[in-house]
Amino acid sequence: MAESWVNPAEAIGADLHLELSGQGGRRAALTRALREAVRSGRLAPGTRLPPYRSLAADLGVARNTVADAYAELVAEGWLTARQGSGTRVAERGSPPRHAERVPVKAPPRARGPRHDLRQGTPDVSAFPRAAWLASYRRALQQAPNEVFGPGDPAGRRELREALAEYLARARGVRAEPDRIVICSGFAHALRLLFGQGGGGVLRGPLAVEAYGLGFHRGLLAAAGVRTVPLPLDEQGARVDVLARERAVRAVRAVLLTPAHQFPTGGPLQAARRAAVIDWARTRGGVVLEDDYDGEFRYDRKPVGALQGLDPEHVIHIGSVSKSLSPALRLGWMVLPRRYVDAVVEAKGEREAWASVLDQLGLADFLSSGAYDRHVRRMRQRYRARRDRLVAALAAHAPHIEVTGIAAGLHAVLRLPPGTERSAVKAAAWQGIALDGLAAFRHPDTGMPVRDGLVVGYATPSEHAYAAALDALCGVLPPDAAALAHAPGSPGGPPSVTQVD
């Protein structure tokens, strides 16, 4: 029976696995095992082998057995031995001719779009690497030993305290650390709140805005939650429908994007903010507030969090996916007191936790002021990009109305009726990645169909943005009214309409 030995091989910094089997004594078996490891390429040229005393102790054989095996392989040219350098795999050691190697075909590289104008991601090239590294290093150096063991499913106290201070100051959230639960982002928050098969902390049906992320609707459907669409207008979601129409009377929870409706743009107006809070109090319901890009506003006063109106009837959900990077997988829920224990219990298993070290890094990033500085810098950059988009449309497609541009990281380009599908197809042919407005429409809404493009102006890197704008303008549908007139007709084109 073959004996399997695993040697820690501290001297070479890697484990050395050897199979001692076959006829003959231990020296012969060891020689064969080492020769085969070199022949197969498992021990690469230049690899340093453990000192013979260490290997002998690990294998439970005499030192002379290992020394003789090394000497034999040196004589054969498989190994080299130099004083002060130890025993290494020979650089010229190569497998015999009869050992055929099957060529490994490299997987094809995924080719991304030529111009990425999809919504949902920030400019990842602007990630504050130096500042984040400084915070991460500081947090790691100061972390107590217990950080590296089992922790609190609610999240690290350091991060919850830093978030309570930041959210109160920057977003008007009324929160104490004990009401905050750390999660991995908005989708994770939905999974914790609704669970699977309708057995979560909250129960459906759930009212949602008529336009929103299909991914979220799919996630809720998988959890057995029926979503009921609320119509939208220029003042935001029609929350009056909650109290008026029979189809939504059974609803006890509503999901809104009140700071910047996704994707159409614009905040939920003050009267409707008050109305949905009154509805939640009267019905014993709860509002889920998706505050996905509340830090980025340009031409209007900041819109505070809805949660500030009634912390016991609003679940405030945020993340760093737009402000820093979606790769960090860090988010939070600010919960009414009655839900805290149930959400922590639902989170439960450690596999569902966000990295504790990342949590500590973000806590330092917030408390040191680095997060504020980064957000202010990116707000200026994104505003400049927004202005360039508007200017490009005014120059090359003045008939296109652009909306939702007073805040956020994307804009909606209103298109002539019936032109959205062809515009999306033309963009794809030109290597432009973007979304049509129809992709976000709830399938059960009775709202009139609107043609449009959802253009993310944060995603491209700075050097690629100008080319992306040129390509975008080249695929937009022409002005039908202008085409109906002969060239040289009097009257200049109208200016781009800016609606939020």
Side-chain angles (χ1 to χ4, degrees):
M1 180 177 178
E3 297 182 65
S4 178
W5 304 88
V6 179
N7 169 50
E10 292 89 347
I12 62 173
D15 287 344
L16 178 57
H17 179 86
L18 297 173
E19 295 282 349
L20 304 189
S21 60
Q23 298 179 349
R26 288 294 184 88
R27 190 187 78 173
L30 176 58
T31 303
R32 281 196 302 271
L34 287 169
R35 187 186 294 115
E36 180 56 31
V38 177
R39 176 188 287 116
S40 66
R42 194 161 60 84
L43 287 178
T47 300
R48 183 176 180 179
L49 301 183
Y52 70 88
R53 293 181 179 85
S54 300
L55 186 57
D58 288 339
L59 298 179
V61 300
R63 295 177 183 177
N64 287 344
T65 300
V66 180
D68 290 346
Y70 278 7
E72 183 175 339
L73 293 171
V74 168
E76 293 177 3
W78 296 101
L79 304 179
T80 62
R82 294 181 181 178
Q83 188 173 2
S85 181
T87 304
R88 298 178 180 271
V89 176
E91 294 292 341
R92 295 183 179 180
S94 59
R97 293 179 183 177
H98 62 78
E100 297 182 2
R101 289 188 178 184
V102 178
V104 178
K105 198 171 184 180
R109 294 183 62 185
R111 296 185 63 183
R114 187 180 300 114
H115 305 292
D116 194 348
L117 292 174
R118 288 172 291 194
Q119 58 74 35
T121 58
D123 179 0
V124 295
S125 68
F127 183 82
R129 301 185 189 211
W132 178 259
L133 181 60
S135 285
Y136 204 89
R137 181 183 293 114
R138 230 174 1 250
L140 194 61
Q141 290 172 340
Q142 298 170 3
N145 291 335
E146 52 92 8
V147 160
F148 302 97
D152 187 344
R156 287 297 304 180
R157 181 80 184 186
E158 295 92 334
L159 178 54
R160 290 185 284 128
E161 289 178 350
L163 281 170
E165 186 278 330
Y166 172 78
L167 293 173
R169 170 172 52 82
R171 301 294 301 124
V173 172
R174 293 158 59 187
E176 300 85 39
D178 291 339
R179 299 173 62 154
I180 298 176
V181 174
I182 304 302
C183 57
S184 297
F186 187 82
H188 185 208
L190 285 183
R191 291 187 177 98
L192 292 175
L193 290 170
F194 289 96
Q196 293 292 326
V201 176
L202 302 178
R203 304 294 177 92
L206 173 70
V208 299
E209 295 160 330
Y211 281 80
L213 272 180
F215 169 70
H216 292 162
R217 292 195 297 266
L219 188 154
L220 290 163
V225 178
R226 180 172 65 90
T227 55
V228 179
L230 298 177
L232 298 166
D233 60 22
E234 66 279 359
Q235 297 183 22
R238 290 278 308 280
V239 296
D240 58 298
V241 172
L242 291 168
R244 186 164 44 83
E245 295 192 9
R246 181 179 303 176
V248 294
R249 286 179 184 173
V251 167
R252 291 295 180 271
V254 56
L255 170 59
L256 300 174
T257 52
H260 187 225
Q261 201 288 318
F262 180 85
T264 62
L268 186 66
Q269 294 302 309
R272 294 188 181 180
R273 291 162 68 91
V276 76
I277 294 297
D278 288 342
W279 167 84
R281 290 170 177 167
T282 302
R283 294 289 183 89
V286 64
V287 180
L288 279 64
E289 178 181 25
D290 182 1
D291 196 37
Y292 67 101
D293 65 358
E295 291 109 334
F296 298 107
R297 74 277 178 186
Y298 314 118
D299 300 327
R300 70 178 189 211
K301 294 181 180 179
V303 178
L306 185 66
Q307 189 266 5
L309 298 179
D310 192 336
E312 294 305 323
H313 288 92
V314 178
I315 298 175
H316 179 86
I317 307 172
S319 77
V320 298
S321 65
K322 305 294 187 297
S323 56
L324 280 174
S325 166
L328 286 178
R329 309 312 309 148
L330 284 173
W332 52 85
M333 288 180 279
V334 184
L335 296 159
R337 294 188 187 281
R338 66 186 185 276
Y339 294 130
V340 173
D341 291 342
V343 170
V344 170
E345 183 179 355
K347 193 177 179 187
E349 298 294 331
R350 289 197 295 269
E351 285 74 13
W353 297 3
S355 164
V356 169
L357 298 182
D358 286 347
Q359 291 183 52
L360 292 176
L362 180 58
D364 184 274
F365 202 70
L366 285 162
S367 59
S368 68
Y371 187 82
D372 286 271
R373 290 190 292 273
H374 174 71
V375 167
R376 286 196 298 270
R377 182 170 60 252
M378 297 311 298
R379 188 183 297 141
Q380 293 174 352
R381 176 176 296 188
Y382 294 146
R383 176 172 184 158
R385 290 195 183 186
R386 188 278 313 262
D387 292 345
R388 291 171 65 185
L389 170 63
V390 171
L393 292 171
H396 302 287
H399 59 288
I400 299 296
E401 178 187 1
V402 57
T403 69
I405 58 175
L409 306 180
H410 70 273
V412 175
L413 278 55
R414 302 290 188 188
L415 301 181
T419 61
E420 177 184 316
R421 183 176 298 180
S422 60
V424 172
K425 185 178 295 186
W429 274 103
Q430 296 300 319
I432 307 170
L434 46 70
D435 299 300
L437 191 57
F440 303 96
R441 178 184 168 87
H442 196 292
D444 298 332
T445 184
M447 287 185 63
V449 174
R450 302 174 180 176
D451 284 69
L453 299 177
V454 181
V455 176
Y457 49 79
T459 305
S461 59
E462 197 67 23
H463 74 273
Y465 189 53
L469 288 182
D470 289 342
L472 172 66
C473 291
V475 300
L476 294 176
D479 183 1
L483 291 177
H485 295 82
S489 58
S495 60
V496 175
T497 303
Q498 299 181 24
V499 181
D500 188 39

